[in-house]
């Protein structure tokens, strides 16, 4: 059994990790570390687990676990790892932005559909952002085929859980209910990792990714549409995407119209391609807390430890 620990246990992504790892056939959850709730039941915060686990939040860290997941606020993972040293055999999966960009570190960008071989031999994984996952899976196959000819235009909407568990004016029910808004237009932080991935796959790409993120009045999920100029046929584009994802455990190209209820509560990404004149449109849907965070983190863990990629991730969509 793989012995796992979670750092920063009270947020949404940690709650999803606890749920997945509790039922993972090859994992024993050793500790869930929290500085604010040590000694209190994990199920007191993550109440979907009442009756499922009797684990208490820990005020101490077992530095000898096989894998540790960092569910800390952005900027805090670097500080935490500077202050806490794990065994040389401990694998680390960081869910913050701290190590996603190339730099002076040994973290591998953990997008399995494009980095599988590197992930399998990695000790440290930088888990991609939620918007970055949905958008990258939509646009990177074209870049890998060296077929991106022009700038991208992306519009995506995320649920309230994308803002994290801490309350703010724009996550309060009275603000979100019957409401919709754009934010961080053209400057969202996930643009950096999307651009980096595009450059990895198509080094001569020098156009812009125009991204408008939106807040939706629902709890979870991301619905993204991306379009760009494409002089090839729709059949050519579909062939590129079908080839890229033919062996993917969770990413599927479909002819059906797609919507959030098909993926919420799963680790899936669904993609649909359409052609309008000289524009190729790709629609992408994921669960922001699973494929966009904790599910993908476990998918990366499975790859590192040589397990089937979908171990512990056979999850049913909340369709009804």
């Amino acid at each position: 059994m793989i012995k796992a620990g979670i750092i920063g246990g009270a947020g949404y992504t940690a709650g999803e990790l606890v749920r997945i790892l509790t039922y993972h056939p090859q994992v024993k959850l050793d500790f869930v570390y929290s500085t604010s709730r040590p000694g209190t039941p994990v199920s007191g915060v993550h109440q979907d687990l009442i009756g499922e686990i009797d684990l208490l939040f820990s005020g101490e860290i077992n530095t000898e676990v096989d894998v540790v997941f960092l569910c800390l606020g952005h900027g805090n993972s670097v500080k935490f790892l500077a202050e806490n040293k794990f065994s040389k055999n401990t694998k680390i999966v960081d869910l913050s932005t701290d190590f996603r960009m190339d730099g002076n570190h040994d973290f591998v960008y953990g997008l399995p559909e494009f980095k599988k071989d590197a992930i399998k031999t990695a000790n440290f994984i930088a888990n991609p952002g939620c918007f970055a996952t949905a958008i990258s899976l939509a646009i990177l196959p074209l870049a890998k085929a060296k077929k991106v000819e022009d700038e991208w235009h992306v519009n995506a909407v995320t649920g309230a859980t994308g803002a994290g568990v801490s309350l703010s004016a724009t996550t309060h029910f009275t603000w979100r209910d019957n409401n919709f808004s754009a934010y961080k237009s053209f400057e969202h932080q996930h643009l950096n990792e999307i651009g980096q991935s595009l450059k990895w796959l198509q080094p001569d790409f020098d156009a812009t990714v125009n991204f408008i993120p939106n807040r939706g009045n629902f709890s979870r999920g991301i619905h993204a549409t991306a379009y760009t100029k494409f002089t090839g046929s729709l059949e050519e584009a579909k062939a590129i995407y079908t080839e890229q994802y033919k062996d993917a455990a969770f990413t599927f190209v479909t002819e059906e119209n797609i919507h959030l209820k098909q993926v919420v509560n799963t680790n899936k990404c669904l993609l649909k391609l359409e052609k309008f004149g000289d524009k190729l449109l790709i629609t992408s849907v994921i669960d922001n807390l699973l494929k966009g965070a904790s599910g993908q983190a476990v998918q990366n863990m499975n790859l590192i430890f040589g397990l089937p990629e979908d171990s512990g991730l056979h999850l049913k969509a909340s369709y009804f």
Side-chain angles (χ1 to χ4, degrees):
M1 298 291 282
I2 297 166
K3 190 177 290 186
I6 297 173
I7 306 296
Y12 292 133
T13 56
E16 290 298 273
L17 273 171
V18 172
R19 178 168 68 92
I20 296 169
L21 297 178
T22 295
Y23 298 108
H24 195 293
Q26 299 296 326
V27 174
K28 177 175 175 53
L29 185 55
D30 186 70
F31 70 88
V32 181
Y33 176 76
S34 173
T35 57
S36 61
R37 295 175 174 83
T40 63
V42 171
S43 61
V45 173
H46 304 300
Q47 296 188 0
D48 56 323
L49 295 172
I50 292 174
E52 304 296 324
I53 62 171
D54 56 8
L55 195 67
L56 303 179
F57 284 112
S58 174
E60 298 181 353
I61 299 165
N62 178 2
T63 60
E64 299 295 323
V65 290
D66 299 305
V67 61
V68 64
F69 297 89
L70 304 183
C71 299
L72 299 168
H74 301 311
N76 292 330
S77 292
V78 170
K79 181 180 178 182
F80 179 85
L81 291 176
E83 297 173 350
N84 298 273
K85 302 300 181 184
F86 288 90
S87 158
K88 65 179 182 180
N89 297 317
T90 299
K91 313 300 184 183
I92 298 173
V93 182
D94 179 37
L95 279 77
S96 79
T97 63
D98 291 17
F99 300 102
R100 292 174 188 165
M101 301 303 295
D102 289 342
N104 186 27
H105 59 73
D106 296 322
F107 281 74
V108 170
Y109 189 67
L111 191 63
E113 290 79 1
F114 291 89
K115 290 281 192 174
K116 185 176 293 187
D117 290 342
I119 292 167
K120 286 179 177 180
T121 59
N123 291 317
F124 311 119
I125 296 293
N127 216 54
C130 52
F131 272 133
T133 297
I135 296 166
S136 294
L137 293 175
I139 71 177
L140 292 187
L142 215 60
K144 186 176 179 181
K146 310 296 189 292
K147 295 288 188 179
V148 180
E149 306 168 11
D150 204 348
E151 62 185 6
W152 283 98
H153 298 271
V154 182
N155 192 290
V157 56
T158 187
T161 53
V165 72
S166 298
L167 286 175
S168 67
T170 57
T171 58
H172 197 286
F173 175 80
T174 55
W175 193 92
R176 284 265 179 170
D177 187 40
N178 292 317
N179 203 1
F180 190 95
S181 65
Y183 71 107
K184 295 183 179 179
S185 298
F186 300 106
E187 56 185 15
H188 193 278
Q189 63 272 16
H190 290 181
L191 275 169
N192 293 328
E193 55 189 285
I194 295 168
Q196 177 177 257
S197 297
L198 282 166
K199 281 288 191 180
W200 285 337
L201 295 169
Q202 187 171 338
D204 64 348
F205 176 79
D206 60 0
T208 302
V209 178
N210 302 287
F211 175 34
I212 309 296
N214 301 282
R215 306 179 183 97
N217 64 340
F218 51 91
S219 293
R220 57 197 291 170
I222 290 176
H223 184 287
T225 53
Y227 70 88
T228 189
K229 181 180 178 181
F230 182 68
T231 55
S233 67
L234 178 59
E235 289 68 28
E236 180 183 354
K238 286 180 178 178
I240 291 169
Y241 280 72
T242 301
E243 175 64 22
Q244 176 62 44
Y245 295 126
K246 65 180 181 181
D247 297 321
F250 297 105
T251 300
F252 305 98
V253 181
T254 178
E255 298 290 333
E256 303 296 327
N257 290 324
I258 57 178
H259 54 83
L260 289 179
K261 282 195 171 184
Q262 295 163 314
V263 297
V264 166
N265 201 46
T266 80
N267 199 51
K268 288 182 183 179
C269 174
L270 296 184
L271 301 169
K272 182 177 182 181
L273 280 65
E274 300 172 90
K275 190 87 187 294
F276 299 92
D278 65 349
K279 301 293 192 300
L280 178 66
L281 171 68
I282 305 104
T283 304
S284 171
V285 289
I286 66 168
D287 184 316
N288 59 295
L289 294 180
L290 288 171
K291 185 57 175 166
S294 303
Q296 186 157 240
V298 173
Q299 184 180 355
N300 282 317
M301 179 203 74
N302 288 338
L303 288 170
I304 290 172
F305 287 96
L307 301 176
E309 201 168 342
D310 57 356
S311 292
L313 293 169
H314 293 279
L315 306 170
K316 165 96 171 47
S318 302
Y319 197 79
F320 301 109

Tab-separated table of all heavy atoms in Angstrom, residues 82-119:
chain	number	residue	atom	x	y	z
A	82	ALA	N	10.651	24.655	2.110
A	82	ALA	CA	11.904	25.185	2.648
A	82	ALA	C	12.013	24.917	4.146
A	82	ALA	O	13.115	24.768	4.689
A	82	ALA	CB	12.000	26.687	2.382
A	83	GLU	N	10.859	24.814	4.804
A	83	GLU	CA	10.830	24.632	6.258
A	83	GLU	C	10.638	23.182	6.679
A	83	GLU	O	10.840	22.845	7.856
A	83	GLU	CB	9.709	25.494	6.856
A	83	GLU	CG	9.916	26.992	6.646
A	83	GLU	CD	8.721	27.825	7.081
A	83	GLU	OE1	7.651	27.207	7.371
A	83	GLU	OE2	8.841	29.055	7.137
A	84	ASN	N	10.227	22.306	5.748
A	84	ASN	CA	9.933	20.919	6.091
A	84	ASN	C	10.596	19.995	5.064
A	84	ASN	O	10.325	20.106	3.869
A	84	ASN	CB	8.426	20.676	6.092
A	84	ASN	CG	7.702	21.508	7.126
A	84	ASN	OD1	7.568	21.112	8.283
A	84	ASN	ND2	7.236	22.688	6.714
A	85	LYS	N	11.427	19.092	5.529
A	85	LYS	CA	12.153	18.190	4.653
A	85	LYS	C	11.568	16.776	4.733
A	85	LYS	O	11.439	16.215	5.819
A	85	LYS	CB	13.641	18.157	5.036
A	85	LYS	CG	14.317	19.513	4.988
A	85	LYS	CD	14.258	20.124	3.595
A	85	LYS	CE	14.974	21.480	3.561
A	85	LYS	NZ	14.852	22.142	2.241
A	86	PHE	N	11.235	16.235	3.589
A	86	PHE	CA	10.701	14.887	3.518
A	86	PHE	C	11.803	13.896	3.157
A	86	PHE	O	12.889	14.278	2.713
A	86	PHE	CB	9.570	14.820	2.494
A	86	PHE	CG	8.309	15.497	2.946
A	86	PHE	CD1	8.092	16.841	2.684
A	86	PHE	CD2	7.346	14.792	3.660
A	86	PHE	CE1	6.940	17.477	3.110
A	86	PHE	CE2	6.196	15.416	4.092
A	86	PHE	CZ	5.983	16.757	3.826
A	87	SER	N	11.517	12.624	3.345
A	87	SER	CA	12.429	11.556	2.964
A	87	SER	C	12.808	11.689	1.495
A	87	SER	O	12.021	12.166	0.672
A	87	SER	CB	11.758	10.199	3.212
A	87	SER	OG	12.339	9.186	2.427
A	88	LYS	N	13.996	11.220	1.145
A	88	LYS	CA	14.441	11.279	-0.247
A	88	LYS	C	13.581	10.401	-1.142
A	88	LYS	O	13.597	10.553	-2.364
A	88	LYS	CB	15.905	10.857	-0.355
A	88	LYS	CG	16.157	9.400	0.012
A	88	LYS	CD	17.632	9.040	-0.148
A	88	LYS	CE	17.866	7.565	0.181
A	88	LYS	NZ	19.309	7.198	0.017
A	89	ASN	N	12.819	9.482	-0.543
A	89	ASN	CA	11.948	8.603	-1.314
A	89	ASN	C	10.516	9.119	-1.432
A	89	ASN	O	9.703	8.505	-2.133
A	89	ASN	CB	11.920	7.211	-0.670
A	89	ASN	CG	13.284	6.533	-0.683
A	89	ASN	OD1	13.990	6.585	-1.691
A	89	ASN	ND2	13.658	5.926	0.426
A	90	THR	N	10.212	10.215	-0.765
A	90	THR	CA	8.853	10.755	-0.790
A	90	THR	C	8.599	11.515	-2.080
A	90	THR	O	9.365	12.408	-2.455
A	90	THR	CB	8.625	11.704	0.403
A	90	THR	OG1	8.798	10.979	1.623
A	90	THR	CG2	7.214	12.297	0.365
A	91	LYS	N	7.540	11.148	-2.770
A	91	LYS	CA	7.116	11.876	-3.968
A	91	LYS	C	6.226	13.038	-3.529
A	91	LYS	O	5.450	12.921	-2.578
A	91	LYS	CB	6.353	10.963	-4.924
A	91	LYS	CG	7.013	9.613	-5.180
A	91	LYS	CD	8.393	9.722	-5.791
A	91	LYS	CE	8.960	8.347	-6.111
A	91	LYS	NZ	10.339	8.417	-6.640
A	92	ILE	N	6.320	14.143	-4.252
A	92	ILE	CA	5.555	15.343	-3.900
A	92	ILE	C	4.711	15.773	-5.089
A	92	ILE	O	5.219	15.895	-6.212
A	92	ILE	CB	6.494	16.501	-3.484
A	92	ILE	CG1	7.290	16.110	-2.236
A	92	ILE	CG2	5.693	17.779	-3.225
A	92	ILE	CD1	8.362	17.122	-1.851
A	93	VAL	N	3.419	15.981	-4.836
A	93	VAL	CA	2.511	16.526	-5.840
A	93	VAL	C	1.979	17.842	-5.307
A	93	VAL	O	1.274	17.871	-4.295
A	93	VAL	CB	1.345	15.563	-6.147
A	93	VAL	CG1	0.456	16.150	-7.238
A	93	VAL	CG2	1.865	14.187	-6.560
A	94	ASP	N	2.347	18.926	-5.966
A	94	ASP	CA	1.960	20.265	-5.523
A	94	ASP	C	0.783	20.770	-6.349
A	94	ASP	O	0.852	20.796	-7.573
A	94	ASP	CB	3.145	21.224	-5.656
A	94	ASP	CG	2.789	22.634	-5.225
A	94	ASP	OD1	2.014	22.782	-4.263
A	94	ASP	OD2	3.268	23.595	-5.867
A	95	LEU	N	-0.289	21.170	-5.683
A	95	LEU	CA	-1.482	21.640	-6.383
A	95	LEU	C	-1.536	23.155	-6.515
A	95	LEU	O	-2.521	23.712	-7.000
A	95	LEU	CB	-2.753	21.137	-5.676
A	95	LEU	CG	-3.153	19.685	-6.005
A	95	LEU	CD1	-2.272	18.686	-5.266
A	95	LEU	CD2	-4.611	19.422	-5.690
A	96	SER	N	-0.489	23.870	-6.079
A	96	SER	CA	-0.452	25.328	-6.214
A	96	SER	C	0.222	25.723	-7.525
A	96	SER	O	0.638	24.878	-8.313
A	96	SER	CB	0.308	25.948	-5.034
A	96	SER	OG	1.717	25.831	-5.232
A	97	THR	N	0.358	27.021	-7.739
A	97	THR	CA	1.029	27.533	-8.940
A	97	THR	C	2.544	27.568	-8.810
A	97	THR	O	3.240	27.877	-9.776
A	97	THR	CB	0.564	28.981	-9.244
A	97	THR	OG1	0.953	29.832	-8.149
A	97	THR	CG2	-0.938	29.052	-9.446
A	98	ASP	N	3.077	27.230	-7.641
A	98	ASP	CA	4.456	27.580	-7.300
A	98	ASP	C	5.513	26.988	-8.224
A	98	ASP	O	6.577	27.592	-8.421
A	98	ASP	CB	4.757	27.176	-5.858
A	98	ASP	CG	3.993	28.022	-4.847
A	98	ASP	OD1	3.010	28.672	-5.242
A	98	ASP	OD2	4.370	28.014	-3.661
A	99	PHE	N	5.276	25.806	-8.784
A	99	PHE	CA	6.310	25.134	-9.574
A	99	PHE	C	5.860	24.822	-10.998
A	99	PHE	O	6.494	24.008	-11.679
A	99	PHE	CB	6.739	23.837	-8.867
A	99	PHE	CG	7.311	24.051	-7.495
A	99	PHE	CD1	6.542	23.795	-6.369
A	99	PHE	CD2	8.601	24.523	-7.327
A	99	PHE	CE1	7.058	23.992	-5.093
A	99	PHE	CE2	9.133	24.725	-6.059
A	99	PHE	CZ	8.358	24.458	-4.941
A	100	ARG	N	4.801	25.441	-11.461
A	100	ARG	CA	4.283	25.114	-12.790
A	100	ARG	C	5.133	25.678	-13.920
A	100	ARG	O	5.167	25.113	-15.020
A	100	ARG	CB	2.835	25.615	-12.926
A	100	ARG	CG	1.859	24.858	-12.050
A	100	ARG	CD	0.475	25.466	-12.104
A	100	ARG	NE	-0.418	24.858	-11.124
A	100	ARG	CZ	-1.574	25.366	-10.749
A	100	ARG	NH1	-1.993	26.509	-11.289
A	100	ARG	NH2	-2.317	24.758	-9.849
A	101	MET	N	5.792	26.777	-13.693
A	101	MET	CA	6.615	27.377	-14.731
A	101	MET	C	8.034	26.835	-14.662
A	101	MET	O	8.556	26.539	-13.583
A	101	MET	CB	6.626	28.902	-14.583
A	101	MET	CG	5.247	29.544	-14.668
A	101	MET	SD	4.363	29.179	-16.203
A	101	MET	CE	5.434	29.994	-17.393
A	102	ASP	N	8.661	26.678	-15.827
A	102	ASP	CA	10.050	26.243	-15.871
A	102	ASP	C	10.911	27.162	-15.014
A	102	ASP	O	10.702	28.376	-14.977
A	102	ASP	CB	10.567	26.268	-17.312
A	102	ASP	CG	9.951	25.174	-18.163
A	102	ASP	OD1	9.406	24.208	-17.609
A	102	ASP	OD2	10.014	25.291	-19.410
A	103	GLY	N	11.873	26.583	-14.317
A	103	GLY	CA	12.730	27.404	-13.468
A	103	GLY	C	13.733	26.547	-12.732
A	103	GLY	O	14.025	25.404	-13.128
A	104	ASN	N	14.233	27.052	-11.639
A	104	ASN	CA	15.271	26.389	-10.858
A	104	ASN	C	14.638	25.406	-9.876
A	104	ASN	O	14.666	25.590	-8.660
A	104	ASN	CB	16.112	27.427	-10.121
A	104	ASN	CG	17.297	26.797	-9.415
A	104	ASN	OD1	17.793	25.746	-9.831
A	104	ASN	ND2	17.744	27.425	-8.335
A	105	HIS	N	14.047	24.357	-10.409
A	105	HIS	CA	13.422	23.324	-9.581
A	105	HIS	C	13.326	22.032	-10.389
A	105	HIS	O	13.606	22.020	-11.595
A	105	HIS	CB	12.033	23.773	-9.111
A	105	HIS	CG	11.081	24.084	-10.215
A	105	HIS	ND1	10.489	23.116	-11.005
A	105	HIS	CD2	10.600	25.278	-10.694
A	105	HIS	CE1	9.691	23.675	-11.892
A	105	HIS	NE2	9.746	24.988	-11.743
A	106	ASP	N	12.937	20.955	-9.710
A	106	ASP	CA	12.885	19.640	-10.348
A	106	ASP	C	11.454	19.150	-10.552
A	106	ASP	O	11.238	17.942	-10.752
A	106	ASP	CB	13.654	18.617	-9.499
A	106	ASP	CG	15.138	18.937	-9.404
A	106	ASP	OD1	15.703	19.387	-10.411
A	106	ASP	OD2	15.722	18.750	-8.312
A	107	PHE	N	10.498	20.045	-10.517
A	107	PHE	CA	9.104	19.645	-10.673
A	107	PHE	C	8.756	19.475	-12.150
A	107	PHE	O	9.124	20.300	-12.989
A	107	PHE	CB	8.172	20.688	-10.043
A	107	PHE	CG	8.066	20.580	-8.553
A	107	PHE	CD1	9.110	21.004	-7.728
A	107	PHE	CD2	6.929	20.059	-7.956
A	107	PHE	CE1	9.018	20.899	-6.358
A	107	PHE	CE2	6.816	19.953	-6.586
A	107	PHE	CZ	7.870	20.378	-5.783
A	108	VAL	N	8.052	18.383	-12.445
A	108	VAL	CA	7.559	18.105	-13.796
A	108	VAL	C	6.120	18.589	-13.895
A	108	VAL	O	5.310	18.340	-12.988
A	108	VAL	CB	7.641	16.599	-14.106
A	108	VAL	CG1	6.916	16.261	-15.415
A	108	VAL	CG2	9.098	16.154	-14.168
A	109	TYR	N	5.801	19.270	-14.977
A	109	TYR	CA	4.429	19.739	-15.193
A	109	TYR	C	3.529	18.538	-15.454
A	109	TYR	O	3.718	17.796	-16.426
A	109	TYR	CB	4.390	20.717	-16.371
A	109	TYR	CG	3.074	21.437	-16.549
A	109	TYR	CD1	2.645	22.359	-15.599
A	109	TYR	CD2	2.271	21.211	-17.662
A	109	TYR	CE1	1.445	23.042	-15.762
A	109	TYR	CE2	1.076	21.890	-17.829
A	109	TYR	CZ	0.666	22.808	-16.870
A	109	TYR	OH	-0.523	23.476	-17.030
A	110	GLY	N	2.535	18.359	-14.589
A	110	GLY	CA	1.791	17.112	-14.570
A	110	GLY	C	0.532	17.075	-15.408
A	110	GLY	O	-0.557	16.838	-14.874
A	111	LEU	N	0.672	17.276	-16.713
A	111	LEU	CA	-0.456	17.111	-17.632
A	111	LEU	C	-0.274	15.752	-18.312
A	111	LEU	O	0.461	15.639	-19.293
A	111	LEU	CB	-0.478	18.248	-18.655
A	111	LEU	CG	-1.738	18.359	-19.528
A	111	LEU	CD1	-2.980	18.656	-18.683
A	111	LEU	CD2	-1.565	19.441	-20.595
A	112	PRO	N	-0.931	14.710	-17.811
A	112	PRO	CA	-0.615	13.342	-18.260
A	112	PRO	C	-0.764	13.105	-19.750
A	112	PRO	O	-0.011	12.307	-20.324
A	112	PRO	CB	-1.611	12.486	-17.472
A	112	PRO	CG	-1.926	13.294	-16.257
A	112	PRO	CD	-1.924	14.721	-16.728
A	113	GLU	N	-1.702	13.753	-20.391
A	113	GLU	CA	-1.929	13.517	-21.817
A	113	GLU	C	-0.750	13.957	-22.678
A	113	GLU	O	-0.608	13.519	-23.818
A	113	GLU	CB	-3.193	14.239	-22.270
A	113	GLU	CG	-4.491	13.648	-21.742
A	113	GLU	CD	-4.813	14.023	-20.313
A	113	GLU	OE1	-4.023	14.781	-19.684
A	113	GLU	OE2	-5.842	13.581	-19.787
A	114	PHE	N	0.130	14.807	-22.120
A	114	PHE	CA	1.276	15.299	-22.895
A	114	PHE	C	2.617	15.084	-22.195
A	114	PHE	O	3.663	15.264	-22.819
A	114	PHE	CB	1.097	16.797	-23.195
A	114	PHE	CG	-0.017	17.070	-24.159
A	114	PHE	CD1	-1.315	17.267	-23.706
A	114	PHE	CD2	0.218	17.092	-25.521
A	114	PHE	CE1	-2.352	17.496	-24.597
A	114	PHE	CE2	-0.811	17.316	-26.421
A	114	PHE	CZ	-2.105	17.513	-25.957
A	115	LYS	N	2.616	14.692	-20.921
A	115	LYS	CA	3.861	14.555	-20.167
A	115	LYS	C	3.988	13.194	-19.486
A	115	LYS	O	4.697	13.064	-18.490
A	115	LYS	CB	3.922	15.671	-19.102
A	115	LYS	CG	4.136	17.065	-19.646
A	115	LYS	CD	5.598	17.282	-19.997
A	115	LYS	CE	5.925	18.717	-20.270
A	115	LYS	NZ	7.376	18.926	-20.472
A	116	LYS	N	3.302	12.199	-20.014
A	116	LYS	CA	3.202	10.916	-19.305
A	116	LYS	C	4.567	10.298	-19.017
A	116	LYS	O	4.823	9.845	-17.891
A	116	LYS	CB	2.340	9.943	-20.103
A	116	LYS	CG	2.080	8.623	-19.378
A	116	LYS	CD	1.146	7.711	-20.152
A	116	LYS	CE	-0.247	8.297	-20.233
A	116	LYS	NZ	-1.218	7.331	-20.835
A	117	ASP	N	5.435	10.244	-19.990
A	117	ASP	CA	6.726	9.601	-19.783
A	117	ASP	C	7.541	10.324	-18.719
A	117	ASP	O	8.187	9.680	-17.874
A	117	ASP	CB	7.509	9.545	-21.095
A	117	ASP	CG	6.907	8.559	-22.091
A	117	ASP	OD1	6.123	7.693	-21.672
A	117	ASP	OD2	7.219	8.685	-23.295
A	118	ALA	N	7.539	11.644	-18.735
A	118	ALA	CA	8.278	12.418	-17.734
A	118	ALA	C	7.672	12.239	-16.352
A	118	ALA	O	8.388	12.171	-15.343
A	118	ALA	CB	8.298	13.895	-18.122
A	119	ILE	N	6.347	12.167	-16.277
A	119	ILE	CA	5.665	11.990	-14.992
A	119	ILE	C	6.043	10.649	-14.370
A	119	ILE	O	6.276	10.549	-13.160
A	119	ILE	CB	4.137	12.098	-15.175
A	119	ILE	CG1	3.748	13.535	-15.546
A	119	ILE	CG2	3.395	11.659	-13.914
A	119	ILE	CD1	2.322	13.680	-16.060
